[in-house]
Amino acid sequence: MPPDLTKLFLEERARRRAAASASTSTVVESTETYLESLESRPAVNLSDFDVGKNATRPVSGLYHIPEFITESEEQALLAAIRSPQNNSRWTTATDGGRRIANWGGKPSDVTVTEPLPPWASTIVDALFSRNVFCDDKNKKHVKPNHVLVNEYQVPSGIAPHNDGDVYAPCVAILTLEGDALIDFWENDGSEAIAVASDDDDDDDDKNEKPVPRAQVMLRCRSLLVYENDAYRLRHGIRETRIDFITDKCVNCETTNVSINEKVERGKTRVSIVFVIKRNKA
């Protein structure tokens, strides 16, 4: 009797589906294991990572922690953020150079409208257990309750801005996949630069251009924290393919960059922004 080809085909398709399902389950378990490992790490003393003190005119409340997560944790976070179930969350920013996803509600909403997903809660637990977050209003360590994810495509950046009163004056930004230089500008209405020119480093008139109060080099897997005085400054990332390191960069030593060095950005950079909304629903 000749073989039943239809039966064989159906059996093979079922076998492949079962194998794919098993493979997916393994990936999910592996991802959760990586993320859970953050919770067991010891607390940090933010004063050990104070980079604001290195500014010509020191900036209170500006910290940078290199390698806050491992490469494996970074990859697990990227996979979780970009999973198909989150496709509907992404929107394109008005500047067109990045896309944005929110958890906990829209940034402009006063209240928190949903719980954070497991991948974000894991990082939040790590921030809390390491004493990174402090609500200035209550003078105690608290957990962030809102997460904003930005995915930048080179050369995009974000114009200098303030985060506003809807948040407590403490923000933590975890950088994934790509590096970038962030500027902190005075919040006095003075001019600030949003787009870097290709000849910023050798322009004869550069001394006449606006100068930021401080700059911080954001490396992959590092955590930037700005609170209090630093929170009240404007911050932004210039639109450019190459960041030029100036004497305003306050963390050259810990990020292995030198003044006057040019640092090429990667194709993509993801930032996970953790904040506290004071009025939780």
Side-chain angles (χ1 to χ4, degrees):
M1 180 180 295
D4 187 338
L5 296 181
T6 300
K7 180 181 179 181
L8 292 175
F9 171 79
L10 293 175
E11 289 176 347
E12 176 62 15
R13 185 170 66 177
R15 185 191 66 77
R16 291 185 178 183
R17 286 180 174 175
S21 177
S23 175
T24 301
S25 298
T26 301
V27 170
V28 171
E29 290 178 5
S30 176
T31 298
E32 290 299 321
T33 299
Y34 283 137
L35 298 179
E36 289 174 0
S37 67
L38 286 170
E39 299 180 16
S40 62
R41 297 185 186 180
V44 300
N45 186 346
L46 274 182
S47 62
D48 294 336
F49 302 93
D50 182 356
V51 294
K53 65 183 180 181
N54 299 330
T56 304
R57 188 152 62 92
V59 178
S60 174
L62 185 58
Y63 310 97
H64 182 260
I65 305 175
E67 298 296 334
F68 188 76
I69 62 173
T70 67
E71 291 186 30
S72 296
E73 291 162 350
E74 177 186 32
Q75 293 305 311
L77 280 171
L78 289 170
I81 290 168
R82 292 168 174 163
S83 65
Q85 67 184 21
N86 294 328
N87 286 345
S88 61
R89 287 186 177 269
W90 292 100
T91 59
T92 301
T94 54
D95 55 27
R98 59 194 169 96
R99 63 174 187 161
I100 307 168
N102 300 289
W103 283 266
K106 297 179 181 179
S108 58
D109 291 342
V110 175
T111 57
V112 174
T113 57
E114 64 177 351
L116 297 179
W119 62 265
S121 296
T122 300
I123 304 299
V124 164
D125 290 341
L127 294 171
F128 180 73
S129 65
R130 299 185 206 181
N131 294 335
V132 170
F133 247 85
C134 184
D135 182 351
D136 184 60
K137 182 178 181 180
N138 299 312
K139 301 296 183 182
K140 65 179 182 180
H141 291 284
V142 294
K143 290 185 177 183
N145 54 23
H146 178 81
V147 173
L148 171 67
V149 177
N150 294 284
E151 185 181 71
Y152 297 86
Q153 299 296 326
V154 69
S156 62
I158 185 169
H161 65 283
N162 290 107
D163 289 326
D165 295 333
V166 70
Y167 300 144
C170 182
V171 174
I173 299 179
L174 185 62
T175 292
L176 309 177
E177 199 168 36
D179 306 333
L181 188 69
I182 187 170
D183 295 325
F184 285 85
W185 302 87
E186 295 291 355
N187 193 30
D188 55 4
S190 58
E191 187 179 359
I193 298 176
V195 179
S197 63
D198 294 334
D199 59 352
D200 271 350
D201 54 325
D202 57 6
D203 190 337
D204 292 337
D205 297 326
K206 66 181 179 180
N207 291 329
E208 298 179 8
K209 294 181 179 180
V211 177
R213 175 86 171 268
Q215 296 177 307
V216 181
M217 187 65 200
L218 304 178
R219 291 291 198 188
C220 294
R221 301 178 294 280
S222 69
L223 186 76
L224 172 73
V225 179
Y226 55 95
E227 60 183 15
N228 303 327
D229 289 345
Y231 183 86
R232 286 182 275 275
L233 296 176
R234 290 174 293 170
H235 59 276
I237 295 176
R238 303 188 197 198
E239 181 182 330
T240 185
R241 295 182 180 276
I242 298 176
D243 285 307
F244 180 70
I245 308 301
T246 75
D247 59 1
K248 298 301 180 182
C249 184
V250 295
N251 65 335
C252 290
E253 183 176 351
T254 57
T255 54
N256 196 31
V257 295
S258 302
I259 296 174
N260 296 327
E261 181 180 352
K262 295 179 179 179
V263 180
E264 186 173 357
R265 290 187 186 172
K267 180 180 179 181
T268 306
R269 173 179 172 267
V270 173
S271 70
I272 309 179
V273 184
F274 297 88
V275 298
I276 305 167
K277 288 189 176 181
R278 295 191 189 278
N279 299 315
K280 187 174 182 179

